[in-house]
Amino acid sequence: MTTLTDRGTKKDTAQAWYNGLHNSLTSPEQMRLHEYQSKEIFTDYHIPIPQGRLAATPEEAKLIAEELHGAVVLKAQVLVGGRGKAGGIRLVRSPDEAEEEASKILGQRIKGLPVRRLLVEEAINIQQEIYLGMTVDRQRAETLVIASAEGGVNIEQVAQVSPEKIARVGVDPLLGLRDFQARNLAAEIEIPRALWRAFGMIALNLYQAHQDLDASLAEINPLVITSGGRLVALDGKVLVDDNALFRHPALFDKRDISAEPTEETEARKFGLAYIKMEGDIGCMVNGAGLAMATMDIIQHKGGRPANFLDIGGGASADRVTAAMRILLADPQVQVVLINIFGGITRCDEVAQGIKAALEEVETAVPFVIRLAGTNEAEGRRILADANLATAYTLSEAAEMAIARVGTVTA
Ligand code: GDP
Ligand code: MN
């Protein structure tokens, strides 16, 4: 969704990288791996991680803590960022304390997602937290490797406030990440020279994993320098492009749908591309480009879109109903704007779909509908007969939707 348009200044690119990363974390078109799954991959690629295992019960957590001797960290396995700040990471001193804390976190919700499993790991003494990540720069059609000496939970802030602290290098896909590039990164973020070699190995191995898995993101944050002077991947995040999943059947089986936001799972089932956002105007559009344009116009007219939703071609009643359910399940949605361009999809067919869907999904939320293209007059007649508000142009539709925000309270 985000393109790296202006690569003129360091600030622009850091900002674009941050936005791209943020989008990739919320896009449904990625399979997100749990931390423990990412770490299994790290181990396959010889990237050092702390010792530890998964626990599903407090008793298991205690047992693992006993095996590990000493302080351990309990880490909630939920597919959201910022678990630390949300209380999903706990440092405990003894097996008994591990059991007690585990019983508190298991079953709790972190950012709305239930915690079913904990990763119980040896606690690491941290000297420095580094960021190391790889993402795809679509504009340049190459992998972008990013590193920062100031990794950890505030990396997004670092990217925004002090972009000069983020080092980056693009990788020629035919050459792969080169030793010297990794070394340059190590030098640029000023880690001790004694660790350059180890850092280089980790970067090259992570790059290989990123390529092999068709990952859109492979990230170690933090990659820590321990008080003993070793490099260890303390946290991992891997996102795999949905479109490449067929090449990785083993990964596909690992997909943890139960831990993904339910609307997105639901959307995927019906072949809809859905991304939730912050606003109050629900959008249902056919075609990704038109969906973006619709969101832009809403924003331009002073409104706030609640989501991106592309219902794709052939907007059948089934799909329209599914899309409507998803939109209306969001309590923030106060009005729904439907914008359909009829090409092969006929407007009258879509209008029938909308009518049928509204009969099934009862709601007080007002709808504004703009149909254009094949059989548009017929479509509009069907909607008017059903007492639905129709618009001729997109800007008119946006204005009508904005005017209806706040007219119905749940
Ligand atoms: P996130 O909040 O979901 O990104 O979870 P992380 O696994 O990155 O942990 C967040 C923060 O908790 C890290 O940046 C560390 O500061 C801290 N942390 C995690 N594991 C350990 C550990 O073993 N020892 C210490 N001292 N701190 C840890
Ligand atoms: Mn982290």
Side-chain angles (χ1 to χ4, degrees), residues 4 28 44 67 78 89 102 108 177 182 187-188 192-193 278 301 309 321 328 330 336 341 346 348-349 367 378:
L4 301 172
D44 290 346
E67 288 168 13
V78 282
I89 312 280
Q108 193 184 305
L177 180 63
E188 199 176 332
R193 192 175 268 270
E278 312 281 275
K301 298 271 177 189
L309 173 58
T321 311
L328 296 173
D330 178 353
V336 173
F341 179 77
R346 300 188 337 261
D348 56 325
E349 186 190 323
F367 280 70
E378 177 62 18

Side-chain angles (χ1 to χ4, degrees), residues 37-71:
Q37 296 168 325
S38 303
K39 282 178 167 169
E40 284 170 11
I41 292 166
F42 293 170
T43 300
D44 290 346
Y45 283 85
H46 309 289
I47 295 170
I49 59 165
Q51 275 191 56
R53 283 198 297 122
L54 272 185
T57 65
E59 296 73 36
E60 273 173 8
K62 179 178 178 176
L63 202 74
I64 300 167
E66 277 165 0
E67 288 168 13
L68 293 172
H69 309 290

Side-chain angles (χ1 to χ4, degrees), residues 340-408:
I340 302 289
F341 179 77
I344 295 169
T345 309
R346 300 188 337 261
C347 290
D348 56 325
E349 186 190 323
V350 175
Q352 290 291 6
I354 295 170
K355 210 177 121 189
L358 275 174
E359 278 160 15
E360 199 178 318
V361 188
E362 275 182 37
T363 178
V365 170
F367 280 70
V368 174
I369 302 151
R370 183 229 175 191
L371 297 175
T374 315
N375 291 1
E376 100 181 40
E378 177 62 18
R380 210 172 281 126
R381 194 170 320 116
I382 294 167
L383 296 173
D385 286 348
N387 285 321
L388 288 162
T390 58
Y392 282 88
T393 65
L394 178 49
S395 56
E396 190 192 353
E399 282 163 14
M400 285 166 72
I402 292 166
R404 283 166 173 76
V405 168
T407 54
V408 176

Side-chain angles (χ1 to χ4, degrees), residues 189-241:
I189 65 172
E190 297 179 336
I191 58 173
R193 192 175 268 270
L195 287 173
W196 285 11
R197 197 181 144 76
F199 178 86
M201 300 268 280
I202 291 174
L204 262 55
N205 289 335
L206 187 64
Y207 176 80
Q208 201 52 51
H210 184 267
Q211 302 303 302
D212 292 350
L213 293 167
D214 297 308
S216 47
L217 176 77
E219 178 185 272
I220 305 176
N221 186 35
L223 171 63
V224 302
I225 303 179
T226 68
S227 53
R230 287 195 320 127
L231 282 171
V232 177
L234 217 60
D235 187 17
K237 183 172 287 156
V238 174
L239 303 178
V240 178
D241 189 333

